[in-house]
Amino acid sequence: MEKKIKHNDKFFVAGANGLAGSSIVRSLKKNNYGNKELGGELFTPSRKDLNLSNLIEVQNWFKIHKPNVVIVAAARVGGIFANNTQPTDFLLDNLKIQNNVIETAWLSGARRLLFLGSNCIYPKLANQPMVEESLLDGPLEETNQWYAIAKIAGLKLCEALRKQHNFDAISVMPANLYGPGDNFHPTKSHVLPALIRRFYEAKRDSISEVVCWGSGEPKRDFLHVDDLGDSCIFLLQNWDPKEVNAPKDFNGDPLTIMNIGSGEDISIKTLAEIIAEATEYNGSIIWDNTKPDGHPRKQVDISQITKLGWKPNIELNKGIKSTVEYFKKRIENNSYLRL
């Protein structure tokens, strides 16, 4: 089967220095995309080099570099606390970033675009595991609705451009991501990296108990970021919604969004126990029920991407262990970490 991206394409990864973007860059390089010796280019401008919130800057950058494959991995992200206390920032910043890049990519004649959504776009009480058709089938979870609404707008913009202008834009909904390049801030990060830092510090400082938010009962689907990177390149290579044998929704219409996950979920309580073991922490784990739980359960159905021939490779215990080692090496060597 002929690949739908080529080694002489010019790739632009928006958000290339973030958790998701950096994994996509690694996978592109691993597959020899963006290799100048093969006629390709790979653009990974930092936030300092290109302010994605500034439309004029984005337009001028596209005029100069002319990428023809665009991957939108840039976003303002955070955990429950950050989402709940900075709703304006999460809504406005994400709308600006994605609208600027997606619209400019279309107007500049890019051939393919992949937009990264999030599994939080699905309704709070969606049937589990969540299928792509669950989108807009019920109310959102209150604590992260601002981020979710922005992401929904982004994938709907991609759908609208495809419908009205035949622009080849696809969207992916990854499960909860973790791995190298994550943000380990105690209040601004997602649950897995926040717990890694908390248990590491408790072990280091001989603290007898660790207090975790919520009941520990909610379940989540955790995907190693290197699996995400590989899946995105796989989809860019192999998935064209216009093809006759492409995945269809319940109505028989072509899907333009695709779930990516591990295929299983675990409770936050079990996650904490795995991380405690990986950090060699032997103290008590206390659950603070006065803090919010968020979604009761979030697992994405990955049957559609599985049918295309992709499956995850990194098992959770192994992935957590390697992520703990990544964190420890950088904090102990005083290397840069978003802490």
Side-chain angles (χ1 to χ4, degrees), residues 32-334:
N32 266 326
Y33 292 110
N35 188 333
K36 289 186 176 181
E37 294 181 358
L38 299 176
E41 288 192 69
L42 175 56
F43 301 111
T44 59
S46 67
R47 189 177 304 175
K48 182 180 178 181
D49 297 327
L50 175 60
N51 179 7
L52 298 174
S53 298
N54 186 309
L55 178 59
I56 301 301
E57 276 195 40
V58 173
Q59 290 173 334
N60 289 336
W61 188 92
F62 268 80
K63 287 178 184 177
I64 294 170
H65 299 287
K66 298 179 174 60
N68 59 347
V69 179
V70 177
I71 301 166
V72 188
R76 184 186 186 102
V77 298
I80 289 177
F81 178 81
N83 274 272
N84 213 17
T85 57
Q86 303 167 45
T88 304
D89 299 338
F90 275 85
L91 185 56
L92 274 179
D93 288 355
N94 284 301
L95 286 172
K96 289 176 183 177
I97 290 168
Q98 64 201 32
N99 288 353
N100 289 348
V101 178
I102 295 169
E103 183 181 16
T104 305
W106 162 56
L107 292 173
S108 300
R111 192 179 79 254
R112 297 215 82 188
L113 181 141
L114 184 143
F115 173 70
L116 261 72
S118 166
N119 63 3
C120 74
I121 68 169
Y122 289 122
K124 179 177 182 178
L125 301 177
N127 291 332
Q128 301 290 327
M130 300 177 291
V131 295
E132 287 84 353
E133 291 87 347
S134 299
L135 181 64
L136 298 178
D137 199 30
L140 299 168
E141 206 287 316
E142 295 83 359
T143 59
N144 63 12
Q145 61 181 312
W146 322 102
Y147 177 75
I149 288 171
K151 284 295 183 180
I152 291 170
L155 71 89
K156 284 298 181 182
L157 175 58
C158 290
E159 283 187 10
L161 287 167
R162 172 178 289 276
K163 181 177 181 179
Q164 185 176 349
H165 300 286
N166 201 32
F167 181 52
D168 187 10
I170 54 178
S171 300
V172 298
M173 260 59 64
N176 292 48
L177 301 175
Y178 73 98
D182 212 338
N183 176 6
F184 294 86
H185 192 280
T187 60
K188 296 179 182 179
S189 62
H190 291 106
V191 59
L192 193 152
L195 289 176
I196 286 178
R197 176 174 180 169
R198 198 169 304 169
F199 281 108
Y200 168 84
E201 291 179 343
K203 167 68 175 177
R204 180 195 63 192
D205 300 335
S206 300
I207 297 172
S208 61
E209 64 181 36
V210 169
V211 179
C212 300
W213 274 32
S215 66
E217 297 304 320
K219 291 186 173 183
R220 294 291 182 267
D221 178 357
F222 293 98
L223 179 71
H224 193 280
V225 72
D226 285 343
D227 275 338
L228 171 77
D230 288 346
S231 69
C232 287
I233 305 313
F234 173 86
L235 291 173
L236 283 169
Q237 290 174 326
N238 298 289
W239 179 33
D240 183 351
K242 293 185 296 184
E243 292 184 344
V244 175
N245 59 349
K248 305 292 192 296
D249 64 19
F250 291 159
N251 297 318
D253 297 319
L255 276 177
T256 59
I257 63 175
M258 186 78 66
N259 288 336
I260 306 171
S262 68
E264 58 186 25
D265 62 0
I266 65 166
S267 71
I268 300 301
K269 187 171 290 185
T270 301
L271 175 71
E273 292 168 354
I274 293 172
I275 292 174
E277 181 178 354
T279 55
E280 300 179 337
Y281 177 74
N282 297 314
S284 300
I285 303 175
I286 309 299
W287 294 94
D288 182 359
N289 288 294
T290 66
K291 297 296 191 297
D293 272 335
H295 281 81
R297 186 184 179 199
K298 283 201 299 182
Q299 180 188 357
V300 295
D301 184 296
I302 61 169
S303 59
Q304 295 289 8
I305 192 170
T306 301
K307 289 176 187 175
L308 287 174
W310 180 87
K311 62 180 181 179
N313 290 312
I314 303 174
E315 188 269 331
L316 183 61
N317 286 64
K318 182 179 178 181
I320 287 176
K321 185 176 181 180
S322 65
T323 304
V324 167
E325 292 306 309
Y326 166 86
F327 173 80
K328 289 170 65 175
K329 284 180 182 178
R330 278 150 183 78
I331 197 169
E332 291 170 0
N333 293 335
N334 294 316

